[in-house]
Structures are given as structure tokens and as C-alpha cells.
Amino acid sequence: MMSAPWLIIAATFLFASMGVCVKLASLQYSAGEIVLYRSLFTAAYIVGWVRMNGGSLRTAIPGAHFWRSLSGVLSLGLWFYALAKLPLATGTVLNYMSSVWIAVAMVFAALALQGERVNPRLVAAVLVGFAGVVLVLRPTIEQDQLGHGLAGLVSGVLAAAAYMQVKVLNRLGEPDYRVVFYFAAGGIVLGALTLPFTGLHAHTWQGVALLLAIGLLATVGQMMLTRAYAVGRLLSIAALQYCGILFSYVYGILVFDELLSWQATLGIGLIVVAGVAATRFNTAPVAKQSEAPA
């Protein structure tokens, strides 16, 4: 079994590779269709895996799976929508804002509780992260891409909620494959709900190959990511997860000839620093809390 650091590095590489396929597939399919096909592949894979290796897909905590699936699938759909029009690195870094959004929630929670001291370093990390967002968006996104940029930002907010729910499910004893299966089930439902608005597009051999690649890369990456969050240290995972931005940056140059401005590159760096710092400042207080509030 791979250690948590190698699991997260491998997962981020697979997700960056999936991002390339999503961007190419978006020329032929809508974001909802891509989510649907990706989720169908994952669900079929998990069902087959369970039959071969044993286990059960029944759960005693459907509510916890519902909230994890809802936040995760909405984040996924918005991310795919953003990738369709934004540079690959830009769309990826907006989705990776989850650590900064968790820090924002921590700051507001501290302000709402009387007598609770706001960590100034946490505030500084949030401000640095938002400065990075401004640098990424302003020189990179055209006026007609603003909606995609906002979708990318919201996907990061929802990703933060989804990652926290993964930890909760692990503490409740849910195995990795079951977490991934119900996430895929949510994707099937959401993708199907979008079809009356987008319709089903005709397939080509290239389109089918891209959809299969998306499903395979996403499934293996999701299993690795879920296992890494279950067994690894939160700070180490958060830091190494940003390798996905580097992979996407290189992919953007090599595959799509996307040369970002120095402002956008600096902004990506600031977001990475802010995300790692925010997780570090959050780790110590969270570790002292009881399991119930989580």
C-alpha cells in the first residue's frame, strides 16, 4: 500500500490528467453529461470491485453520504463547467481554494463566538489567498469568461465542504469504496437532471475515448484521494495536493499552449502559499476538538 504522501501526489497527477480530458471533451459534451458518464464509470467499477473483493454498499448513515455527495458533485460539475473556457491552470487553482475557504469559515466562526480570539495569521492567509485570486482572474479571464471564473470559485467552496465530510465519514467507519460509490451515485443523479436542459450529444470515437479516460482517471484518483485523507496528516495532504496545480500548469503549456501572464503565475503562487498556511494554522485548534463537532 502506498503511503499518504505518494497517494496524494499520484491522485493529483491523475486529476490533472483528467482535467486535460475534460477540457477536450467539453468541446463535444456539456458539463452535466461529462459528470454523468464519469459517475456511471465509477459506480460500475465500484460495484464490480465489491463483487470480486467482498464488502457491502449498504450504509447505516445515508444522511452523511447525501451531504458529502451533494457538495462534492456540485463542486465537480462547476469545476468541469469552469474548465471548458478557462485556462487549465486557472480553473484548477480556483477549485483548489478549498483550504482558504475553510480558513474564511474559521475566521467568521471566531467572530461569531463572543470571547473567541481571531487568529491574525489565519486572517493574513485569507487575505493573501484573495490577493492571489485577484491576480489570477484579472489578467487571465475575459469578460465573457466571468461566469466560468465564478463557477470555479464556488467549486472551491463546495470542495472544502466535501473534504471535511470525507473525514467525518472515515471517523464513522465508512470504507473508502462506499464513500466513492455514493459520490458517484450523486453524480449520476445530478448529471441526469441536467439532460432536459442540455440534451444528449452524439458520440464519436474520440469522444468515447475521452469519456472512458475521464472515468478511469477520476475513479482511481478518487480512491487514492479518499484513502490519503483517511490515513494521512491533514497538513501534509493539503500541501502536497497543490502539486495538482503544477501538473495542470505544465499540461496547459504543453497541450493547450496556455502561457499565463506573470501576474497570473504570481497569483497561483500566492494561493498555494495561502492554502498551505491556512491549513497549518487550522490544524492545531481542530486537533483539540472532540470528534462530535466534526
Side-chain angles (χ1 to χ4, degrees), residues 16-29 34 79-89 91 145 210 214 251-252 255-258:
S17 303
M18 182 195 72
V20 174
C21 296
V22 168
K23 195 169 179 63
L24 293 172
S26 65
L27 298 174
Q28 184 173 345
Y29 304 101
I34 298 175
W79 183 38
F80 284 2
Y81 177 77
L83 286 178
K85 295 295 183 182
L86 299 181
L88 186 61
Q145 296 175 331
L210 287 171
I214 290 169
Y251 266 138
V255 179
F256 302 106
D257 197 25
E258 296 171 344

PDB file of all heavy atoms in Angstrom, residues 16-29 34 79-89 91 145 210 214 251-252 255-258:
ATOM      1  N   ALA A  16      -5.143  16.002 -12.660  1.00  0.00           N
ATOM      2  CA  ALA A  16      -4.678  16.969 -13.656  1.00  0.00           C
ATOM      3  C   ALA A  16      -4.819  16.385 -15.060  1.00  0.00           C
ATOM      4  O   ALA A  16      -5.230  17.078 -16.004  1.00  0.00           O
ATOM      5  CB  ALA A  16      -3.222  17.343 -13.378  1.00  0.00           C
ATOM      6  N   SER A  17      -4.491  15.094 -15.205  1.00  0.00           N
ATOM      7  CA  SER A  17      -4.661  14.425 -16.497  1.00  0.00           C
ATOM      8  C   SER A  17      -6.138  14.370 -16.876  1.00  0.00           C
ATOM      9  O   SER A  17      -6.504  14.564 -18.042  1.00  0.00           O
ATOM     10  CB  SER A  17      -4.086  13.003 -16.435  1.00  0.00           C
ATOM     11  OG  SER A  17      -2.721  13.032 -16.061  1.00  0.00           O
ATOM     12  N   MET A  18      -6.992  14.119 -15.884  1.00  0.00           N
ATOM     13  CA  MET A  18      -8.432  14.132 -16.130  1.00  0.00           C
ATOM     14  C   MET A  18      -8.887  15.510 -16.590  1.00  0.00           C
ATOM     15  O   MET A  18      -9.745  15.637 -17.469  1.00  0.00           O
ATOM     16  CB  MET A  18      -9.191  13.733 -14.866  1.00  0.00           C
ATOM     17  CG  MET A  18     -10.708  13.671 -15.037  1.00  0.00           C
ATOM     18  SD  MET A  18     -11.587  13.634 -13.447  1.00  0.00           S
ATOM     19  CE  MET A  18     -11.323  15.327 -12.890  1.00  0.00           C
ATOM     20  N   GLY A  19      -8.316  16.577 -15.996  1.00  0.00           N
ATOM     21  CA  GLY A  19      -8.671  17.934 -16.390  1.00  0.00           C
ATOM     22  C   GLY A  19      -8.401  18.186 -17.867  1.00  0.00           C
ATOM     23  O   GLY A  19      -9.182  18.863 -18.546  1.00  0.00           O
ATOM     24  N   VAL A  20      -7.297  17.639 -18.373  1.00  0.00           N
ATOM     25  CA  VAL A  20      -6.987  17.766 -19.798  1.00  0.00           C
ATOM     26  C   VAL A  20      -8.085  17.109 -20.631  1.00  0.00           C
ATOM     27  O   VAL A  20      -8.586  17.684 -21.606  1.00  0.00           O
ATOM     28  CB  VAL A  20      -5.621  17.122 -20.118  1.00  0.00           C
ATOM     29  CG1 VAL A  20      -5.365  17.132 -21.623  1.00  0.00           C
ATOM     30  CG2 VAL A  20      -4.501  17.859 -19.397  1.00  0.00           C
ATOM     31  N   CYS A  21      -8.484  15.901 -20.221  1.00  0.00           N
ATOM     32  CA  CYS A  21      -9.527  15.177 -20.955  1.00  0.00           C
ATOM     33  C   CYS A  21     -10.869  15.891 -20.868  1.00  0.00           C
ATOM     34  O   CYS A  21     -11.628  15.929 -21.849  1.00  0.00           O
ATOM     35  CB  CYS A  21      -9.648  13.755 -20.410  1.00  0.00           C
ATOM     36  SG  CYS A  21      -8.172  12.735 -20.644  1.00  0.00           S
ATOM     37  N   VAL A  22     -11.163  16.464 -19.700  1.00  0.00           N
ATOM     38  CA  VAL A  22     -12.424  17.199 -19.536  1.00  0.00           C
ATOM     39  C   VAL A  22     -12.452  18.409 -20.456  1.00  0.00           C
ATOM     40  O   VAL A  22     -13.466  18.693 -21.113  1.00  0.00           O
ATOM     41  CB  VAL A  22     -12.605  17.635 -18.066  1.00  0.00           C
ATOM     42  CG1 VAL A  22     -13.752  18.641 -17.940  1.00  0.00           C
ATOM     43  CG2 VAL A  22     -12.879  16.428 -17.185  1.00  0.00           C
ATOM     44  N   LYS A  23     -11.348  19.129 -20.515  1.00  0.00           N
ATOM     45  CA  LYS A  23     -11.280  20.318 -21.366  1.00  0.00           C
ATOM     46  C   LYS A  23     -11.464  19.953 -22.833  1.00  0.00           C
ATOM     47  O   LYS A  23     -12.147  20.669 -23.589  1.00  0.00           O
ATOM     48  CB  LYS A  23      -9.955  21.038 -21.147  1.00  0.00           C
ATOM     49  CG  LYS A  23      -9.913  22.460 -21.690  1.00  0.00           C
ATOM     50  CD  LYS A  23      -8.676  23.173 -21.194  1.00  0.00           C
ATOM     51  CE  LYS A  23      -8.611  24.588 -21.765  1.00  0.00           C
ATOM     52  NZ  LYS A  23      -9.738  25.422 -21.312  1.00  0.00           N
ATOM     53  N   LEU A  24     -10.888  18.842 -23.243  1.00  0.00           N
ATOM     54  CA  LEU A  24     -11.051  18.383 -24.625  1.00  0.00           C
ATOM     55  C   LEU A  24     -12.473  17.867 -24.869  1.00  0.00           C
ATOM     56  O   LEU A  24     -13.082  18.145 -25.903  1.00  0.00           O
ATOM     57  CB  LEU A  24     -10.037  17.278 -24.939  1.00  0.00           C
ATOM     58  CG  LEU A  24      -8.561  17.694 -24.963  1.00  0.00           C
ATOM     59  CD1 LEU A  24      -7.652  16.476 -25.083  1.00  0.00           C
ATOM     60  CD2 LEU A  24      -8.292  18.670 -26.110  1.00  0.00           C
ATOM     61  N   ALA A  25     -13.013  17.137 -23.910  1.00  0.00           N
ATOM     62  CA  ALA A  25     -14.368  16.578 -24.068  1.00  0.00           C
ATOM     63  C   ALA A  25     -15.430  17.662 -24.052  1.00  0.00           C
ATOM     64  O   ALA A  25     -16.504  17.493 -24.636  1.00  0.00           O
ATOM     65  CB  ALA A  25     -14.645  15.567 -22.964  1.00  0.00           C
ATOM     66  N   SER A  26     -15.147  18.799 -23.391  1.00  0.00           N
ATOM     67  CA  SER A  26     -16.135  19.877 -23.307  1.00  0.00           C
ATOM     68  C   SER A  26     -16.417  20.513 -24.663  1.00  0.00           C
ATOM     69  O   SER A  26     -17.396  21.243 -24.818  1.00  0.00           O
ATOM     70  CB  SER A  26     -15.657  20.947 -22.322  1.00  0.00           C
ATOM     71  OG  SER A  26     -14.473  21.578 -22.793  1.00  0.00           O
ATOM     72  N   LEU A  27     -15.563  20.238 -25.645  1.00  0.00           N
ATOM     73  CA  LEU A  27     -15.826  20.709 -27.000  1.00  0.00           C
ATOM     74  C   LEU A  27     -16.999  19.953 -27.631  1.00  0.00           C
ATOM     75  O   LEU A  27     -17.580  20.413 -28.609  1.00  0.00           O
ATOM     76  CB  LEU A  27     -14.572  20.538 -27.866  1.00  0.00           C
ATOM     77  CG  LEU A  27     -13.328  21.318 -27.434  1.00  0.00           C
ATOM     78  CD1 LEU A  27     -12.138  20.938 -28.295  1.00  0.00           C
ATOM     79  CD2 LEU A  27     -13.587  22.814 -27.491  1.00  0.00           C
ATOM     80  N   GLN A  28     -17.343  18.802 -27.057  1.00  0.00           N
ATOM     81  CA  GLN A  28     -18.393  17.951 -27.622  1.00  0.00           C
ATOM     82  C   GLN A  28     -19.555  17.708 -26.660  1.00  0.00           C
ATOM     83  O   GLN A  28     -20.688  17.508 -27.094  1.00  0.00           O
ATOM     84  CB  GLN A  28     -17.776  16.606 -28.027  1.00  0.00           C
ATOM     85  CG  GLN A  28     -18.737  15.656 -28.725  1.00  0.00           C
ATOM     86  CD  GLN A  28     -18.020  14.424 -29.251  1.00  0.00           C
ATOM     87  OE1 GLN A  28     -16.795  14.390 -29.336  1.00  0.00           O
ATOM     88  NE2 GLN A  28     -18.780  13.400 -29.599  1.00  0.00           N
ATOM     89  N   TYR A  29     -19.280  17.729 -25.354  1.00  0.00           N
ATOM     90  CA  TYR A  29     -20.297  17.403 -24.361  1.00  0.00           C
ATOM     91  C   TYR A  29     -20.462  18.553 -23.365  1.00  0.00           C
ATOM     92  O   TYR A  29     -19.536  19.343 -23.145  1.00  0.00           O
ATOM     93  CB  TYR A  29     -19.913  16.137 -23.587  1.00  0.00           C
ATOM     94  CG  TYR A  29     -19.665  14.926 -24.443  1.00  0.00           C
ATOM     95  CD1 TYR A  29     -18.364  14.519 -24.738  1.00  0.00           C
ATOM     96  CD2 TYR A  29     -20.719  14.177 -24.964  1.00  0.00           C
ATOM     97  CE1 TYR A  29     -18.121  13.395 -25.530  1.00  0.00           C
ATOM     98  CE2 TYR A  29     -20.493  13.054 -25.743  1.00  0.00           C
ATOM     99  CZ  TYR A  29     -19.188  12.674 -26.023  1.00  0.00           C
ATOM    100  OH  TYR A  29     -18.960  11.562 -26.805  1.00  0.00           O
ATOM    101  N   ILE A  34     -20.660  15.135 -18.922  1.00  0.00           N
ATOM    102  CA  ILE A  34     -19.363  14.604 -18.507  1.00  0.00           C
ATOM    103  C   ILE A  34     -19.442  14.068 -17.084  1.00  0.00           C
ATOM    104  O   ILE A  34     -18.897  13.001 -16.773  1.00  0.00           O
ATOM    105  CB  ILE A  34     -18.271  15.683 -18.633  1.00  0.00           C
ATOM    106  CG1 ILE A  34     -18.136  16.129 -20.094  1.00  0.00           C
ATOM    107  CG2 ILE A  34     -16.933  15.147 -18.133  1.00  0.00           C
ATOM    108  CD1 ILE A  34     -17.172  17.282 -20.301  1.00  0.00           C
ATOM    109  N   TRP A  79     -16.704  22.777 -11.504  1.00  0.00           N
ATOM    110  CA  TRP A  79     -15.307  22.737 -11.943  1.00  0.00           C
ATOM    111  C   TRP A  79     -15.220  22.355 -13.407  1.00  0.00           C
ATOM    112  O   TRP A  79     -14.484  22.974 -14.187  1.00  0.00           O
ATOM    113  CB  TRP A  79     -14.520  21.745 -11.080  1.00  0.00           C
ATOM    114  CG  TRP A  79     -13.060  21.692 -11.415  1.00  0.00           C
ATOM    115  CD1 TRP A  79     -12.259  22.752 -11.761  1.00  0.00           C
ATOM    116  CD2 TRP A  79     -12.232  20.535 -11.451  1.00  0.00           C
ATOM    117  NE1 TRP A  79     -10.964  22.315 -12.004  1.00  0.00           N
ATOM    118  CE2 TRP A  79     -10.926  20.964 -11.820  1.00  0.00           C
ATOM    119  CE3 TRP A  79     -12.453  19.187 -11.196  1.00  0.00           C
ATOM    120  CZ2 TRP A  79      -9.861  20.076 -11.940  1.00  0.00           C
ATOM    121  CZ3 TRP A  79     -11.387  18.309 -11.308  1.00  0.00           C
ATOM    122  CH2 TRP A  79     -10.111  18.748 -11.676  1.00  0.00           C
ATOM    123  N   PHE A  80     -15.977  21.340 -13.831  1.00  0.00           N
ATOM    124  CA  PHE A  80     -15.981  20.956 -15.244  1.00  0.00           C
ATOM    125  C   PHE A  80     -16.469  22.107 -16.119  1.00  0.00           C
ATOM    126  O   PHE A  80     -15.948  22.336 -17.212  1.00  0.00           O
ATOM    127  CB  PHE A  80     -16.877  19.740 -15.444  1.00  0.00           C
ATOM    128  CG  PHE A  80     -16.267  18.437 -14.974  1.00  0.00           C
ATOM    129  CD1 PHE A  80     -15.020  18.414 -14.381  1.00  0.00           C
ATOM    130  CD2 PHE A  80     -16.952  17.240 -15.121  1.00  0.00           C
ATOM    131  CE1 PHE A  80     -14.453  17.227 -13.943  1.00  0.00           C
ATOM    132  CE2 PHE A  80     -16.388  16.038 -14.703  1.00  0.00           C
ATOM    133  CZ  PHE A  80     -15.152  16.031 -14.104  1.00  0.00           C
ATOM    134  N   TYR A  81     -17.477  22.826 -15.629  1.00  0.00           N
ATOM    135  CA  TYR A  81     -18.003  23.977 -16.373  1.00  0.00           C
ATOM    136  C   TYR A  81     -16.922  25.050 -16.514  1.00  0.00           C
ATOM    137  O   TYR A  81     -16.762  25.652 -17.585  1.00  0.00           O
ATOM    138  CB  TYR A  81     -19.222  24.534 -15.643  1.00  0.00           C
ATOM    139  CG  TYR A  81     -19.814  25.773 -16.265  1.00  0.00           C
ATOM    140  CD1 TYR A  81     -20.599  25.701 -17.415  1.00  0.00           C
ATOM    141  CD2 TYR A  81     -19.599  27.025 -15.697  1.00  0.00           C
ATOM    142  CE1 TYR A  81     -21.143  26.842 -17.991  1.00  0.00           C
ATOM    143  CE2 TYR A  81     -20.140  28.170 -16.259  1.00  0.00           C
ATOM    144  CZ  TYR A  81     -20.908  28.072 -17.397  1.00  0.00           C
ATOM    145  OH  TYR A  81     -21.441  29.200 -17.962  1.00  0.00           O
ATOM    146  N   ALA A  82     -16.165  25.292 -15.441  1.00  0.00           N
ATOM    147  CA  ALA A  82     -15.110  26.309 -15.486  1.00  0.00           C
ATOM    148  C   ALA A  82     -13.979  25.896 -16.426  1.00  0.00           C
ATOM    149  O   ALA A  82     -13.437  26.716 -17.173  1.00  0.00           O
ATOM    150  CB  ALA A  82     -14.561  26.548 -14.078  1.00  0.00           C
ATOM    151  N   LEU A  83     -13.620  24.609 -16.399  1.00  0.00           N
ATOM    152  CA  LEU A  83     -12.517  24.138 -17.241  1.00  0.00           C
ATOM    153  C   LEU A  83     -12.810  24.278 -18.728  1.00  0.00           C
ATOM    154  O   LEU A  83     -11.888  24.374 -19.537  1.00  0.00           O
ATOM    155  CB  LEU A  83     -12.208  22.670 -16.925  1.00  0.00           C
ATOM    156  CG  LEU A  83     -11.485  22.372 -15.617  1.00  0.00           C
ATOM    157  CD1 LEU A  83     -11.315  20.876 -15.439  1.00  0.00           C
ATOM    158  CD2 LEU A  83     -10.129  23.070 -15.567  1.00  0.00           C
ATOM    159  N   ALA A  84     -14.084  24.294 -19.098  1.00  0.00           N
ATOM    160  CA  ALA A  84     -14.446  24.364 -20.504  1.00  0.00           C
ATOM    161  C   ALA A  84     -13.924  25.637 -21.160  1.00  0.00           C
ATOM    162  O   ALA A  84     -13.550  25.627 -22.337  1.00  0.00           O
ATOM    163  CB  ALA A  84     -15.965  24.266 -20.664  1.00  0.00           C
ATOM    164  N   LYS A  85     -13.863  26.746 -20.430  1.00  0.00           N
ATOM    165  CA  LYS A  85     -13.499  28.029 -21.019  1.00  0.00           C
ATOM    166  C   LYS A  85     -12.232  28.650 -20.438  1.00  0.00           C
ATOM    167  O   LYS A  85     -11.588  29.464 -21.090  1.00  0.00           O
ATOM    168  CB  LYS A  85     -14.652  29.022 -20.835  1.00  0.00           C
ATOM    169  CG  LYS A  85     -15.937  28.646 -21.583  1.00  0.00           C
ATOM    170  CD  LYS A  85     -15.735  28.673 -23.086  1.00  0.00           C
ATOM    171  CE  LYS A  85     -17.027  28.366 -23.829  1.00  0.00           C
ATOM    172  NZ  LYS A  85     -16.832  28.339 -25.299  1.00  0.00           N
ATOM    173  N   LEU A  86     -11.869  28.280 -19.216  1.00  0.00           N
ATOM    174  CA  LEU A  86     -10.710  28.903 -18.578  1.00  0.00           C
ATOM    175  C   LEU A  86      -9.428  28.147 -18.912  1.00  0.00           C
ATOM    176  O   LEU A  86      -9.470  26.956 -19.247  1.00  0.00           O
ATOM    177  CB  LEU A  86     -10.892  28.915 -17.060  1.00  0.00           C
ATOM    178  CG  LEU A  86     -12.084  29.684 -16.499  1.00  0.00           C
ATOM    179  CD1 LEU A  86     -12.074  29.604 -14.982  1.00  0.00           C
ATOM    180  CD2 LEU A  86     -12.073  31.129 -16.969  1.00  0.00           C
ATOM    181  N   PRO A  87      -8.270  28.807 -18.833  1.00  0.00           N
ATOM    182  CA  PRO A  87      -7.008  28.074 -18.924  1.00  0.00           C
ATOM    183  C   PRO A  87      -6.968  26.974 -17.873  1.00  0.00           C
ATOM    184  O   PRO A  87      -7.512  27.127 -16.777  1.00  0.00           O
ATOM    185  CB  PRO A  87      -5.953  29.158 -18.644  1.00  0.00           C
ATOM    186  CG  PRO A  87      -6.615  30.432 -19.061  1.00  0.00           C
ATOM    187  CD  PRO A  87      -8.062  30.268 -18.714  1.00  0.00           C
ATOM    188  N   LEU A  88      -6.334  25.856 -18.189  1.00  0.00           N
ATOM    189  CA  LEU A  88      -6.366  24.690 -17.313  1.00  0.00           C
ATOM    190  C   LEU A  88      -5.848  25.011 -15.909  1.00  0.00           C
ATOM    191  O   LEU A  88      -6.463  24.624 -14.904  1.00  0.00           O
ATOM    192  CB  LEU A  88      -5.534  23.560 -17.933  1.00  0.00           C
ATOM    193  CG  LEU A  88      -5.577  22.221 -17.220  1.00  0.00           C
ATOM    194  CD1 LEU A  88      -6.994  21.671 -17.178  1.00  0.00           C
ATOM    195  CD2 LEU A  88      -4.645  21.227 -17.910  1.00  0.00           C
ATOM    196  N   ALA A  89      -4.740  25.715 -15.816  1.00  0.00           N
ATOM    197  CA  ALA A  89      -4.171  26.050 -14.511  1.00  0.00           C
ATOM    198  C   ALA A  89      -5.083  26.985 -13.727  1.00  0.00           C
ATOM    199  O   ALA A  89      -5.220  26.858 -12.507  1.00  0.00           O
ATOM    200  CB  ALA A  89      -2.789  26.680 -14.676  1.00  0.00           C
ATOM    201  N   GLY A  91      -8.478  27.287 -13.972  1.00  0.00           N
ATOM    202  CA  GLY A  91      -9.622  26.545 -13.480  1.00  0.00           C
ATOM    203  C   GLY A  91      -9.262  25.626 -12.330  1.00  0.00           C
ATOM    204  O   GLY A  91     -10.037  25.454 -11.386  1.00  0.00           O
ATOM    205  N   GLN A 145     -15.860  35.258 -19.875  1.00  0.00           N
ATOM    206  CA  GLN A 145     -15.476  34.105 -19.073  1.00  0.00           C
ATOM    207  C   GLN A 145     -15.742  34.326 -17.583  1.00  0.00           C
ATOM    208  O   GLN A 145     -15.410  33.469 -16.759  1.00  0.00           O
ATOM    209  CB  GLN A 145     -13.988  33.786 -19.272  1.00  0.00           C
ATOM    210  CG  GLN A 145     -13.626  33.378 -20.691  1.00  0.00           C
ATOM    211  CD  GLN A 145     -12.127  33.188 -20.850  1.00  0.00           C
ATOM    212  OE1 GLN A 145     -11.330  33.816 -20.164  1.00  0.00           O
ATOM    213  NE2 GLN A 145     -11.744  32.301 -21.756  1.00  0.00           N
ATOM    214  N   LEU A 210     -12.335   9.827 -24.740  1.00  0.00           N
ATOM    215  CA  LEU A 210     -12.118  10.833 -23.702  1.00  0.00           C
ATOM    216  C   LEU A 210     -12.985  10.559 -22.475  1.00  0.00           C
ATOM    217  O   LEU A 210     -12.523  10.690 -21.331  1.00  0.00           O
ATOM    218  CB  LEU A 210     -12.426  12.225 -24.262  1.00  0.00           C
ATOM    219  CG  LEU A 210     -11.407  12.808 -25.236  1.00  0.00           C
ATOM    220  CD1 LEU A 210     -11.946  14.079 -25.881  1.00  0.00           C
ATOM    221  CD2 LEU A 210     -10.085  13.098 -24.521  1.00  0.00           C
ATOM    222  N   ILE A 214     -11.664   9.851 -18.742  1.00  0.00           N
ATOM    223  CA  ILE A 214     -12.122  10.649 -17.601  1.00  0.00           C
ATOM    224  C   ILE A 214     -12.609   9.734 -16.481  1.00  0.00           C
ATOM    225  O   ILE A 214     -12.260   9.911 -15.302  1.00  0.00           O
ATOM    226  CB  ILE A 214     -13.238  11.618 -18.030  1.00  0.00           C
ATOM    227  CG1 ILE A 214     -12.670  12.713 -18.930  1.00  0.00           C
ATOM    228  CG2 ILE A 214     -13.921  12.245 -16.806  1.00  0.00           C
ATOM    229  CD1 ILE A 214     -13.733  13.564 -19.604  1.00  0.00           C
ATOM    230  N   TYR A 251       0.668  20.954 -18.082  1.00  0.00           N
ATOM    231  CA  TYR A 251      -0.248  20.435 -19.104  1.00  0.00           C
ATOM    232  C   TYR A 251      -0.792  21.573 -19.979  1.00  0.00           C
ATOM    233  O   TYR A 251      -0.924  21.428 -21.199  1.00  0.00           O
ATOM    234  CB  TYR A 251      -1.415  19.721 -18.431  1.00  0.00           C
ATOM    235  CG  TYR A 251      -1.240  18.230 -18.268  1.00  0.00           C
ATOM    236  CD1 TYR A 251      -1.617  17.607 -17.081  1.00  0.00           C
ATOM    237  CD2 TYR A 251      -0.744  17.437 -19.296  1.00  0.00           C
ATOM    238  CE1 TYR A 251      -1.485  16.235 -16.920  1.00  0.00           C
ATOM    239  CE2 TYR A 251      -0.606  16.071 -19.145  1.00  0.00           C
ATOM    240  CZ  TYR A 251      -0.977  15.472 -17.948  1.00  0.00           C
ATOM    241  OH  TYR A 251      -0.844  14.114 -17.796  1.00  0.00           O
ATOM    242  N   GLY A 252      -1.146  22.685 -19.337  1.00  0.00           N
ATOM    243  CA  GLY A 252      -1.703  23.816 -20.080  1.00  0.00           C
ATOM    244  C   GLY A 252      -0.750  24.336 -21.133  1.00  0.00           C
ATOM    245  O   GLY A 252      -1.156  24.699 -22.244  1.00  0.00           O
ATOM    246  N   VAL A 255      -0.116  21.075 -23.821  1.00  0.00           N
ATOM    247  CA  VAL A 255      -1.259  20.583 -24.601  1.00  0.00           C
ATOM    248  C   VAL A 255      -2.041  21.720 -25.245  1.00  0.00           C
ATOM    249  O   VAL A 255      -2.441  21.625 -26.415  1.00  0.00           O
ATOM    250  CB  VAL A 255      -2.191  19.727 -23.719  1.00  0.00           C
ATOM    251  CG1 VAL A 255      -3.396  19.229 -24.524  1.00  0.00           C
ATOM    252  CG2 VAL A 255      -1.428  18.561 -23.107  1.00  0.00           C
ATOM    253  N   PHE A 256      -2.259  22.810 -24.505  1.00  0.00           N
ATOM    254  CA  PHE A 256      -3.139  23.877 -24.993  1.00  0.00           C
ATOM    255  C   PHE A 256      -2.398  25.177 -25.320  1.00  0.00           C
ATOM    256  O   PHE A 256      -3.032  26.162 -25.675  1.00  0.00           O
ATOM    257  CB  PHE A 256      -4.226  24.164 -23.945  1.00  0.00           C
ATOM    258  CG  PHE A 256      -5.066  22.962 -23.609  1.00  0.00           C
ATOM    259  CD1 PHE A 256      -4.905  22.307 -22.402  1.00  0.00           C
ATOM    260  CD2 PHE A 256      -5.997  22.469 -24.508  1.00  0.00           C
ATOM    261  CE1 PHE A 256      -5.668  21.197 -22.078  1.00  0.00           C
ATOM    262  CE2 PHE A 256      -6.771  21.363 -24.204  1.00  0.00           C
ATOM    263  CZ  PHE A 256      -6.601  20.719 -22.979  1.00  0.00           C
ATOM    264  N   ASP A 257      -1.083  25.179 -25.162  1.00  0.00           N
ATOM    265  CA  ASP A 257      -0.284  26.373 -25.450  1.00  0.00           C
ATOM    266  C   ASP A 257      -0.784  27.574 -24.654  1.00  0.00           C
ATOM    267  O   ASP A 257      -0.871  28.690 -25.170  1.00  0.00           O
ATOM    268  CB  ASP A 257      -0.307  26.679 -26.954  1.00  0.00           C
ATOM    269  CG  ASP A 257       0.797  27.631 -27.369  1.00  0.00           C
ATOM    270  OD1 ASP A 257       1.823  27.696 -26.669  1.00  0.00           O
ATOM    271  OD2 ASP A 257       0.630  28.346 -28.375  1.00  0.00           O
ATOM    272  N   GLU A 258      -1.092  27.350 -23.380  1.00  0.00           N
ATOM    273  CA  GLU A 258      -1.608  28.389 -22.493  1.00  0.00           C
ATOM    274  C   GLU A 258      -0.460  29.001 -21.689  1.00  0.00           C
ATOM    275  O   GLU A 258      -0.010  28.426 -20.697  1.00  0.00           O
ATOM    276  CB  GLU A 258      -2.666  27.812 -21.548  1.00  0.00           C
ATOM    277  CG  GLU A 258      -3.903  27.296 -22.256  1.00  0.00           C
ATOM    278  CD  GLU A 258      -4.832  26.547 -21.335  1.00  0.00           C
ATOM    279  OE1 GLU A 258      -4.393  26.171 -20.228  1.00  0.00           O
ATOM    280  OE2 GLU A 258      -6.004  26.334 -21.705  1.00  0.00           O
TER     281      GLU A 258
END
